[in-house]
C-alpha cells in the first residue's frame, strides 16, 4: 500500500490534466470502491468532510494554490501500488473520469459518508469542517453501491 500522493500520482499519469478538486474526488471514489472490493484501505490518510466534499489534507497540502494539475504534478510514486490497487483505480477512472469536478463533488454530497460526517459535528452547507469520514461508513456506502451494480 502506498500513500495518497502515490495514488494521486498514478491517477495523474493516467488522466491528467485535471483540476485539484477532481483529483481529490477521484481519490475518494477509488478509496471507497477499493475498500468495498478488496476489504482494505487504498492508503492510510483520512478524508475530511470539507465544504466542497471529501478532501485528504496531505494531498491538499501538495496542490494548494494550483487549480490545474498535470502528470508529475504530485510528488508520489505510482510504483508503490500493487496490481489490485491499480486495478481499482483503473476501474474508477473508466467510470468516473468523464465527469467534471463539480459533478463528482455533487455526487459526494448525496446521503453517505461525507454528509454523515458533517451531520455528526453539526456544520451547515459551506461551513468549514475537518471531521474525518469513517472507514466503516465508507465501506458500507460503497459496498451497497457494489451490491446494487451486481
Amino acid at each position: 500500500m502506498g500513500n495518497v500522493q502515490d495514488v494521486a500520482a498514478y491517477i495523474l499519469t493516467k488522466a491528467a490534466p485535471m483540476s485539484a478538486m477532481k483529483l481529490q474526488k477521484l481519490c475518494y471514489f477509488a478509496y471507497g470502491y477499493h475498500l468495498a472490493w478488496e476489504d482494505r484501505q487504498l492508503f492510510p490518510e483520512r478524508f475530511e468532510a470539507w465544504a466542497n466534499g471529501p478532501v485528504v489534507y496531505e494531498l491538499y497540502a501538495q496542490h494548494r494554490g494550483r487549480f490545474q494539475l498535470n502528470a508529475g504534478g504530485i510528488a508520489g510514486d505510482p510504483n508503490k501500488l500493487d496490481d489490485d490497487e491499480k486495478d481499482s483505480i483503473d476501474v474508477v477512472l473508466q467510470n468516473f473520469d468523464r465527469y467534471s469536478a463539480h459533478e463528482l463533488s455533487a455526487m459526494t454530497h448525496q446521503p453517505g459518508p461525507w454528509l454523515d460526517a458533517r451531520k455528526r459535528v453539526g456544520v451547515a452547507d459551506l461551513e468549514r469542517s475537518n471531521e474525518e469520514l469513517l472507514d466503516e461508513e465508507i465501506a458500507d456506502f460503497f459496498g451497497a453501491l457494489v451490491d446494487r451494480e451486481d
Side-chain angles (χ1 to χ4, degrees), residues 15-48:
M18 70 179 62
S19 70
M21 179 192 275
K22 183 170 183 173
L23 179 62
Q24 285 278 356
K25 302 314 169 242
L26 289 173
C27 284
Y28 173 69
F29 285 107
Y31 184 92
Y33 276 109
H34 185 74
L35 194 58
W37 291 325
E38 300 292 327
D39 198 29
R40 64 184 172 103
Q41 294 178 325
L42 184 57
F43 47 79
E45 294 82 8
R46 311 303 309 141
F47 283 95
E48 297 177 0

Side-chain angles (χ1 to χ4, degrees), residues 84-142:
D84 289 335
E85 292 164 344
K86 289 177 182 176
D87 287 345
S88 292
I89 297 165
D90 289 341
V91 170
V92 165
L93 288 175
Q94 289 167 4
N95 289 284
F96 290 91
D97 187 43
R98 67 180 175 262
Y99 295 106
S100 72
H102 293 289
E103 289 170 321
L104 292 171
S105 183
M107 289 177 199
T108 68
H109 288 221
Q110 301 303 311
W114 175 82
L115 196 55
D116 294 342
R118 293 186 63 81
K119 285 180 181 176
R120 254 195 316 278
V121 292
V123 292
D125 289 350
L126 303 179
E127 216 177 318
R128 291 181 180 217
S129 169
N130 63 352
E131 179 69 12
E132 289 184 358
L133 279 66
L134 304 177
D135 269 358
E136 303 81 41
E137 293 173 351
I138 296 171
D140 289 347
F141 178 77
F142 282 92

Side-chain angles (χ1 to χ4, degrees), residues 31-87:
Y31 184 92
Y33 276 109
H34 185 74
L35 194 58
W37 291 325
E38 300 292 327
D39 198 29
R40 64 184 172 103
Q41 294 178 325
L42 184 57
F43 47 79
E45 294 82 8
R46 311 303 309 141
F47 283 95
E48 297 177 0
W50 287 26
N52 288 322
V55 171
V56 175
Y57 179 79
E58 292 84 353
L59 180 56
Y60 172 78
Q62 276 206 8
H63 65 62
R64 182 182 206 155
R66 292 187 289 160
F67 175 77
Q68 187 85 344
L69 299 167
N70 295 306
I74 295 293
D77 182 0
N79 294 317
K80 291 184 179 176
L81 305 176
D82 67 33
D83 289 342
D84 289 335
E85 292 164 344
K86 289 177 182 176
D87 287 345

